Amino acid sequence: MKKKLYRSSSNRMLGGVLGGLADYTGIDASLLRILAVVGFFLGVGSLGFIYLAWIFIVPNEGDMHRK
């Protein structure tokens, strides 16, 4: 079965982006959150903008199951 990227409904802090990414990649969500916060404070790219864009672009987990 092909994996699909989605925003997690159960493993979320803000928008569920990192929880869904953790499910997709198999990496622990806490580790991704720590890396995202560190990257945000170190000014790595435009992580804040990317996170906000993913909230609007990547579908929510509940929306994926209704199709």
Side-chain angles (χ1 to χ4, degrees):
M1 183 173 170
K2 183 178 175 185
K3 287 185 178 183
K4 295 194 179 210
L5 183 61
Y6 57 84
R7 291 184 297 121
S8 178
S9 297
S10 59
N11 190 6
R12 69 186 318 153
M13 290 289 198
L14 295 174
V17 172
L18 295 175
L21 187 60
D23 289 344
Y24 183 78
T25 60
I27 299 172
D28 184 48
S30 298
L31 177 61
L32 286 178
R33 289 182 182 114
I34 290 169
L35 292 173
V37 169
V38 169
F40 180 76
F41 283 114
L42 291 177
V44 176
S46 302
L47 289 180
F49 175 74
I50 293 169
Y51 188 89
L52 287 175
W54 274 36
I55 289 175
F56 294 105
I57 295 171
V58 177
N60 198 8
E61 182 177 18
D63 298 337
M64 300 279 300
H65 296 297
R66 284 186 224 155
K67 291 183 179 181

